[in-house]
Amino acid sequence: MQWYQGLAKPSWTPSPSTIGQIWNVLYAIIFVTFGYVFVEAFQGRVRWKQTLPFAINLIANLIFFPVMFSIRSLPLAAVDILIVWSTIVWSAVAIWPFSRWVAIAQF
């Protein structure tokens, strides 16, 4: 955390405890929506190509913390975030015909 505290951040950066609370909510949304999509895919109600952006997003979300705080690579973390953001949009578009509530929850 000392490394993170030493970074130059904008004045509007939330405190670490606030960031933690935000991620608790986001992880709950990710768990419910991604779980739903993958269960639907395993049961054949959603095509596997619609799950691809969710899988990529999940992997990108999982590797962010090690990239940012273990490797401490801001450029790689920025690329990872771009992947996360783009797969959020891709996921919403891909799943819209099958489940609109999941598509809306991605935003």
Side-chain angles (χ1 to χ4, degrees), residues 75-96:
L76 283 178
V79 169
D80 185 76
I81 290 300
L82 289 174
I83 293 168
V84 168
W85 286 348
S86 58
T87 56
I88 287 170
V89 173
W90 182 16
S91 296
V93 170
I95 204 65
W96 180 262

Side-chain angles (χ1 to χ4, degrees), residues 14-42:
S15 69
S17 63
T18 302
I19 293 171
Q21 292 170 356
I22 291 167
W23 274 105
N24 283 336
V25 172
L26 291 175
Y27 281 135
I29 293 169
I30 289 169
F31 178 78
V32 170
T33 58
F34 284 39
Y36 176 82
V37 168
F38 285 106
V39 166
E40 291 294 296
F42 278 111

Side-chain angles (χ1 to χ4, degrees), residues 3 7 64 67-68 71-83:
W3 171 79
L7 293 175
F64 176 77
V67 166
M68 181 68 173
I71 299 172
R72 298 180 179 175
S73 174
L74 296 178
L76 283 178
V79 169
D80 185 76
I81 290 300
L82 289 174
I83 293 168

Side-chain angles (χ1 to χ4, degrees), residues 8-9 11 13 49 52-53 60 63 67 93 97 104:
K9 297 179 280 302
S11 61
T13 301
K49 74 179 192 176
L52 180 61
I63 66 171
V67 166
V93 170
I104 292 167

